Amino acid sequence: MVYNFNAGPSILPKEVFEEVSRGILDFNGTGLSILEIGHRTPLFQGVLDEAIATAKELMKLDADHEVLFLHGGATTQFFQIPMNLVNEGQTAAYLDCGTWGKKAIKEAKLYGHVEVVASSKDKNYTYIPKGYTIPRDAAYFHYTTNNTIEGTEMFAIPETDVPLVADMSSDILSRVTDFNKHALIYAGAQKNIGAAGVTMVVLRKDILGKVNRAMPGMLDYREHIAAGSMLNTPPVFAIYVCMLTLRWLKNLGGIPAIEAVNTKKADLLYSTLDSLPIFRPTVVKEDRSKMNAVFVMDDPALEKEFQDLCKAEGMYGVKGHRSVGGFRVSLYNALPLSSVEVLTQLMTQFAHKKA
Ligand SMILES: *Cc1c(COP(=O)(O)O)cnc(C)c1O
């Protein structure tokens, strides 16, 4: 038995792995592999159409929002967004609440004036800044809903008339939220949506066409919309895995159903951590992420011992990001509650043995 707490690429549903392996050998009874069919065939068009339709349905998107599947990861969105949305000299507002947001800020500076409205850098990004003002003339306001590395999550959508842009790479589809309040949402697929190699972008068309710079076609959202995510060969296999994962989520009862499980997993893990003084969660209570829990021990030797124990018990990924240290446990949609039960039992035994 193995338990996969990896941060990304990460666990996907077993049913998806089974269907994908069938599709590699014989896609839908065609005798062909999903890896050897043309992207402009009706066979693949069906996969892409279902992925887009299911994403729209799960997120309850209105008719103004488009869904794209693009290359280049969330990291490409860090520059593609300002390139498409902010003119030179114009302001883009950013919230600085973690490693990924910081990278997005750096890239945006290549295209416009960046105003950082608030930062939690003063306390190593262990909380979400609150009570800041977003300049009304900003082209957009960018924030990260879940800070994958630091383990904070922003549950409230900022109140503003400025178009909202959100990096939802690590908590998209994990909890109910009003996706329609956003002008643009992006998410690398490899955490909650599917396989690495594709990024889902949800955007409202009316925000486009307002900048006056020339850009390559591959970076112009309007061209991708016009081409239906097929401006060039799309990442066929990655989109196939996304489609199956979205279908799995829909059959499960959609986002409200998975949110109930995700809440149980997070509650169990954090209540265990809070009850065992040997472990210390690093994030303030109200901002703790339900997707990535970060905690430390005060004794590095004990940390090493617990990490080794987890490995010996078949647990993968119980380790902090190299920039933070300690531990990080990822609890994405596909992780079953039973994995958290096994981990928390191990934590309790370990703490009692060391007490
Ligand atoms: C993983 C992650 C990224 C980076 O995604 P890539 O697809 O590797 O570019 C960006 N933002 C957040 C919040 C992430 O979790």
Side-chain angles (χ1 to χ4, degrees), residues 88 163 187 248-249:
E88 215 173 310
W248 166 82
L249 182 55

Side-chain angles (χ1 to χ4, degrees), residues 143-146 166-173 177-179 182 185-188:
Y143 71 114
T144 313
T145 50
N146 184 71
D167 178 356
M168 297 196 184
S169 292
S170 51
D171 70 344
I172 194 160
L173 309 177
T177 184
D178 192 348
F179 296 100
H182 294 85
I185 293 164
Y186 62 103

